[in-house]
Amino acid sequence: MAATSAGRVLTLCKQFQNAIRISTSISPQQAAFNLSKSQSYLNRQASSLVGLTWHCQIGNRGQCRPLHTTVSRRGLDEFFDVPENWGQSTVKSGAPWTAKHLRAKSNEDLHKLWYVLLKEKNMLLTVEQESKRQCMQMPSPERLKKVERSMKRLDTVVKEREDALRMLQTGQERARPGAWRKSLFGHVYWYRFREHAIPWYMNKRYKRKRFYTPGFVVPHIRLRIEKHLRTRVRKANTEMKKQAQLQEKFPPMKAQS
Amino acid sequence: MRLSSSLEVLPTCTLEKTTNLTQLAYRSKQGSCVMARRLIYPLYQAGNPQLKMFRPPFALTLVRPGKEQPPDIVQFRIPMEMTKCDVRNYLENIYSVPVAAVRTRIQYCTNKKRNHLNQKVKRPDYKVAYIQLGQQQTFSFPDVFQSMDAKPPEGSADDIQNKFMEDEKQRQKPDPRRGGVTEWFGL
């Protein structure tokens, strides 16, 4: 069966797998709550990152007892919630991670947090599918949105760091090389390169793709521009007429003192 | 020809190169969701180092099998982009589940249904993976919503309503002494 909630927190980090010291007086859940801000997510996993660093500090002073934790026997139990939450109508969960808080974390912590969030997402998807099968309501479906947003923000933060590093090291703004090219219909767009094993002049599919506008298309580009301008002018005119009508209907009143 | 990537979880202690942080594969911009982006794997040629993926964007869903499966089979719904090797590495590295075999199939879902505007609506396809567990482990899908069927407490509105419905049903039933014979016959 799944390990206890304390075991869950600890098993997430392999570093602390073999020998860990927890204070007998403070349980890991309480410690995490005391330290973490109200924005920490995941009630049951108790913001494992913050909790784990807290363990390191308190373990050395006061009463300690060595605790050996093992990875839960069946990893498949992590696809389900803690048994106390089975059959509940709501499960408490905190606010999602914000980009501001994620930027304060180290790369290692972000890496671990990604997997924590991934496992949580898998668990929620499992519960969601099972609830659909059983024609029951899923407890607290907003948790899925929170996890997805946290993961998206984590991705953004990591991307920011990567971009900054790449700019410093190589001066390249983009990770994937590309070029401005003209499409068949006269639009200029950012074409992103793909990796190939052969040069472009040997690539038959690439050669079929044309990065110039043929002569018979050029007159139609002018017509398109004219149409676009006409619609823009029409919109502006209708807006002005609408405002004039409103002014007539509701004349501007002076503020009564 | 694209070789399947092997997903490996970084050792938690050290991160040597900062380029190991993100996905080695590029992502094309498609929508706002992490999962919806299309991964483009770097080209592999003979002699290249094994491709590693950090922070995999794939999410698996454990599902209850529709048909009866052997005890060592676990059924997952996986993203279309995952392969058998990907699933194996994912479960072994992230969940430490011993995987003996992985078999996949793609479930095609209907495009025939129509909405209130009579437009065809496609139900999205999904890939199903049947994982055979190693080390003679077995798995049975637990009953996650069991305690929701608990009887309502005595004296509550639900309880009274249930009892009333049961009484009504009992009244509608024919006389059990007639042994299933309808009341059309007899007196």
Side-chain angles (χ1 to χ4, degrees):
Chain A
M1 219 23 222
T4 57
S5 51
R8 261 176 196 273
V9 170
L10 300 170
T11 54
L12 287 166
C13 183
K14 281 188 191 169
Q15 266 183 341
F16 303 101
Q17 197 177 350
N18 293 321
I20 198 144
R21 290 164 171 275
I22 58 170
S23 163
T24 48
S25 51
I26 312 171
S27 72
Q29 293 275 61
Q30 288 168 6
F33 274 125
N34 291 339
L35 234 204
S36 59
K37 301 175 207 171
S38 55
Q39 271 108 352
S40 76
Y41 179 53
L42 293 179
N43 231 13
R44 64 186 178 91
Q45 298 200 339
S47 64
S48 55
L49 299 174
V50 181
L52 285 168
T53 48
W54 178 244
H55 290 159
C56 278
Q57 290 160 23
I58 62 169
N60 294 327
R61 37 184 161 106
Q63 286 180 337
C64 300
R65 57 177 170 86
L67 175 73
H68 279 258
T69 63
T70 51
V71 182
S72 59
R73 279 283 181 81
R74 281 217 302 241
L76 293 171
D77 289 336
E78 290 178 297
F79 278 100
F80 300 99
D81 210 345
V82 176
E84 292 98 59
N85 290 338
W86 289 7
Q88 300 291 326
S89 56
T90 48
V91 175
K92 271 199 225 170
S93 61
W97 285 89
T98 55
K100 190 177 151 196
H101 291 112
L102 289 169
R103 280 188 198 108
K105 297 290 172 195
S106 70
N107 290 337
E108 258 188 46
D109 283 345
L110 287 183
H111 191 90
K112 291 175 202 170
L113 182 63
W114 179 269
Y115 288 99
V116 169
L117 290 171
L118 189 68
K119 285 193 185 180
E120 181 71 12
K121 188 169 169 187
N122 289 345
M123 184 274 286
L124 291 170
L125 287 171
T126 308
V127 169
E128 191 188 23
Q129 187 55 42
E130 179 61 15
S131 66
K132 282 184 192 169
R133 173 69 76 92
Q134 303 292 340
C135 306
M136 295 273 209
Q137 235 185 14
M138 176 194 172
S140 312
E142 71 274 1
R143 292 181 285 171
L144 248 178
K145 264 200 243 174
K146 288 181 188 174
V147 168
E148 273 173 15
R149 279 176 194 163
S150 303
M151 288 175 89
K152 185 86 185 31
R153 286 164 191 167
L154 207 163
D155 201 34
T156 317
V157 168
V158 169
K159 216 173 266 304
E160 278 173 10
R161 291 186 188 178
E162 274 264 302
D163 283 344
L165 202 66
R166 193 181 47 247
M167 274 298 277
L168 284 170
Q169 287 180 338
T170 59
Q172 298 293 325
E173 284 158 6
R174 297 166 211 265
R176 190 172 164 189
W180 289 106
R181 291 200 181 163
K182 201 181 258 194
S183 80
L184 210 56
F185 298 106
H187 297 117
V188 177
Y189 69 104
W190 181 256
Y191 171 74
R192 288 181 300 160
F193 297 149
R194 292 181 68 179
E195 272 190 88
H196 300 281
I198 46 171
W200 69 268
Y201 48 83
M202 288 166 64
N203 194 340
K204 286 187 184 170
R205 177 141 51 108
Y206 177 83
K207 284 194 281 188
R208 282 202 296 268
K209 202 177 167 75
R210 286 160 284 171
F211 292 109
Y212 61 89
T213 37
F216 56 85
V217 175
V218 172
H220 293 272
I221 296 171
R222 189 193 157 105
L223 294 171
R224 196 174 59 211
I225 295 168
E226 286 174 6
K227 185 179 181 181
H228 167 73
L229 288 171
R230 231 178 282 137
T231 49
R232 204 172 67 176
V233 164
R234 225 183 289 145
K235 247 193 239 173
N237 286 345
T238 45
E239 187 60 39
M240 274 193 351
K241 277 185 195 160
K242 195 171 143 198
Q243 288 299 321
Q245 276 177 6
L246 282 173
Q247 289 280 0
E248 215 182 288
K249 211 171 182 185
F250 305 107
M253 290 197 310
K254 287 202 182 123
Q256 290 172 358
S257 55
Chain B
M1 183 182 79
R2 177 171 77 78
L3 288 174
S4 320
S5 62
S6 88
L7 307 172
E8 285 191 25
V9 175
L10 256 192
T12 49
C13 314
T14 53
L15 275 179
E16 297 120 11
K17 298 177 207 170
T18 42
T19 46
N20 292 348
L21 266 180
T22 57
Q23 312 269 347
L24 279 181
Y26 297 121
R27 279 156 158 184
S28 60
K29 287 178 195 168
Q30 258 181 46
S32 55
C33 177
V34 170
M35 294 302 294
R37 287 201 192 152
R38 189 176 145 244
L39 277 179
I40 300 169
Y41 295 94
L43 210 65
Y44 179 86
Q45 286 168 321
N48 285 6
Q50 176 69 58
L51 181 72
K52 293 189 187 186
M53 183 186 285
F54 308 118
R55 298 192 301 115
F58 307 121
L60 308 192
T61 315
L62 228 182
V63 295
R64 185 188 286 273
K67 294 192 177 165
E68 195 60 41
Q69 298 287 341
D72 60 343
I73 299 287
V74 190
Q75 194 169 333
F76 286 96
R77 282 194 192 178
I78 63 181
M80 290 286 237
E81 298 85 24
M82 279 186 98
T83 59
K84 291 183 186 178
C85 311
D86 288 344
V87 173
R88 179 190 291 271
N89 291 327
Y90 188 105
L91 287 173
E92 278 177 354
N93 290 317
I94 301 179
Y95 285 94
S96 350
V97 170
V99 170
V102 182
R103 295 181 289 276
T104 57
R105 67 176 177 93
I106 296 183
Q107 176 62 54
Y108 169 80
C109 296
T110 177
N111 197 13
K112 211 175 184 181
K113 301 268 175 180
R114 288 178 185 262
N115 62 7
H116 62 285
L117 300 167
N118 205 31
Q119 297 160 340
K120 275 198 198 171
V121 175
K122 165 77 180 165
R123 273 201 197 151
D125 303 333
Y126 54 89
K127 202 182 245 191
V128 182
Y130 299 92
I131 311 293
Q132 204 155 19
L133 295 171
Q135 293 166 18
Q136 286 120 30
Q137 285 186 9
T138 56
F139 178 78
S140 67
F141 202 93
D143 198 6
V144 185
F145 292 96
Q146 62 195 338
S147 39
M148 283 214 174
D149 297 330
K151 285 207 164 167
E154 300 291 320
S156 73
D158 285 338
D159 189 39
I160 295 166
Q161 200 175 17
N162 285 350
K163 283 198 176 134
F164 180 74
M165 290 306 294
E166 277 168 25
D167 283 339
E168 282 295 313
K169 278 182 195 161
Q170 227 279 308
R171 226 172 282 163
Q172 299 287 339
K173 277 191 191 145
D175 195 353
R177 292 173 296 184
R178 294 182 58 79
V181 178
T182 48
E183 289 173 359
W184 190 90
F185 302 103
L187 310 161

